[in-house]
């Protein structure tokens, strides 16, 4: 998968990957349909950062989720 291409499919892949990495219990708080390709680069940066981190504190998770909330369309 080429994540340099801005597409809804890539957004879906990155959101699912972030949810898995953060081990979210309430997976419905992040929906790929809430993100647009207009903010793709910021989402891609968060995706890369999350995948580099070996583990997350509660504060890390809260900060990541807050950044993702700021990128949503709704």
């Amino acid at each position: 998968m080429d994540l340099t291409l801005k597409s809804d499919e890539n957004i879906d892949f990155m959101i699912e990957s972030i949810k898995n990495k953060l081990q979210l219990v309430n997976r419905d708080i992040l929906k790929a349909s809430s993100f647009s390709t207009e903010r793709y680069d910021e989402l891609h940066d968060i995706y890369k950062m999350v995948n580099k981190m070996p583990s997350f504190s509660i504060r890390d998770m809260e900060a990541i989720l807050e950044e993702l909330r700021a990128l949503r369309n709704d």
Side-chain angles (χ1 to χ4, degrees):
M1 178 166 283
D2 184 2
L3 293 178
T4 60
L5 300 174
K6 297 177 182 180
S7 72
D8 291 333
E9 180 181 277
N10 286 349
I11 289 173
D12 185 53
F13 174 82
M14 289 189 290
I15 293 298
E16 287 302 313
S17 178
I18 290 169
K19 290 193 284 190
N20 289 336
K21 184 80 175 185
L22 295 178
Q23 298 178 356
L24 293 181
V25 174
N26 184 359
R27 298 176 66 80
D28 290 336
I29 64 170
L30 288 178
K31 295 180 182 176
S33 61
S34 298
F35 298 88
S36 75
T37 55
E38 292 176 12
R39 307 290 301 271
Y40 186 89
D41 293 328
E42 291 112 319
L43 179 60
H44 190 240
D45 289 342
I46 293 171
Y47 166 80
K48 290 188 297 187
M49 178 199 61
V50 166
N51 280 308
K52 287 181 183 176
M53 296 176 74
S55 62
F56 306 93
S57 69
I58 296 297
R59 285 187 182 159
D60 292 336
M61 290 179 70
E62 289 173 349
I64 292 165
L65 292 172
E66 187 60 36
E67 286 297 316
L68 290 167
R69 279 187 207 103
L71 297 179
R72 290 192 310 199
N73 295 328
D74 46 41

